[in-house]
């Protein structure tokens, strides 16, 4: 079973060595472990951050929700290889985490961006009710195009 708990910096330390290939690549593109840690420390001051943790204390993912303005939020996640081992449990935990963040932020719209080379991320968000709304050209640090996905309540 996966439990959704408030994020703690030690969760990031546990997650980094087990990141899925796509997310490990993103760490490198964003400046490495130290830069990622600095980003998460800054986000922890104003974002809603959830960790998805197994009964054994393994971190499956960290999901971050940032309010852009009243009623609208942006989200992103970093996932471990454990997602592939327990996909149904992860999906159920994500559904709970998304509902919890939506209520906490009081948003009517949630957005996410996913690189075009990450079809698993697109499918995961679509299963959670997000819809592709367009393509953002040269959006990434490396100028990779990304899909914009949105969910409206």
């Amino acid at each position: 079973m996966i439990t959704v708990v408030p994020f703690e910096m030690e969760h990031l330390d546990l997650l980094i060595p087990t990141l899925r290939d796509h997310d490990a690549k993103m760490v490198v593109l964003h400046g490495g472990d130290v830069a990622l840690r600095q980003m998460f420390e800054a986000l922890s001051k104003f974002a809603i951050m959830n960790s998805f943790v197994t009964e054994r204390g393994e971190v499956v993912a960290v999901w971050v929700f940032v309010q852009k303005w009243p009623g609208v939020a942006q989200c992103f996640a970093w996932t471990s290889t454990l997602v592939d081992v327990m996909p149904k449990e992860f999906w159920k935990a994500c559904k709970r985490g998304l509902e919890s963040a939506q209520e906490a932020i009081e948003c009517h719209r949630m957005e996410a961006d996913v690189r075009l080379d990450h079809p698993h991320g697109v499918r995961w968000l679509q299963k959670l009710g997000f819809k592709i709304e367009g393509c953002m050209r040269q959006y990434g640090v490396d100028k990779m195009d990304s899909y914009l996905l949105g969910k409206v309540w």
Side-chain angles (χ1 to χ4, degrees):
M1 181 167 172
I2 298 173
T3 306
V4 181
V5 300
F7 172 78
E8 297 176 15
M9 286 305 292
E10 64 198 40
H11 295 156
L12 185 60
D13 297 332
L14 293 169
L15 179 66
I16 288 174
T18 67
L19 285 172
R20 296 174 85 192
D21 289 344
H22 180 268
D23 289 334
K25 180 178 164 185
M26 293 299 98
V27 171
V28 173
L29 284 174
H30 286 89
D33 295 4
V34 173
L36 184 65
R37 188 172 181 78
Q38 290 170 340
M39 179 180 77
F40 271 74
E41 286 172 355
L43 285 167
S44 68
K45 294 175 176 42
F46 61 88
I48 292 176
M49 301 173 72
N50 293 323
S51 296
F52 295 71
V53 181
T54 67
E55 295 167 335
R56 295 182 302 276
E58 301 161 307
V59 179
V60 179
V62 174
W63 203 357
V64 180
F65 303 88
V66 179
Q67 185 175 16
K68 293 173 82 170
W69 46 80
V72 179
Q74 176 84 20
C75 66
F76 65 90
W78 296 82
T79 56
S80 81
T81 54
L82 291 171
V83 168
D84 302 321
V85 177
M86 46 182 67
K88 288 183 182 177
E89 293 89 346
F90 180 61
W91 184 84
K92 289 176 186 175
C94 288
K95 192 169 177 171
R96 290 191 312 270
L98 180 62
E99 291 168 357
S100 173
Q102 187 265 333
E103 289 173 12
I105 298 173
E106 298 179 3
C107 65
H108 58 270
R109 176 181 172 78
M110 184 76 66
E111 298 175 349
D113 57 86
V114 180
R115 293 166 54 97
L116 268 59
D117 66 352
H118 188 35
H120 295 301
V122 173
R123 282 194 302 276
W124 170 64
L125 288 166
Q126 287 176 322
K127 286 181 182 178
L128 290 168
F130 285 77
K131 297 193 181 336
I132 295 174
E133 296 180 340
C135 179
M136 300 182 293
R137 311 264 307 154
Q138 296 189 9
Y139 186 75
V141 174
D142 61 347
K143 298 183 180 179
M144 173 59 102
D145 296 348
S146 291
Y147 288 117
L148 171 64
L149 292 96
K151 178 177 174 78
V152 178
W153 283 270

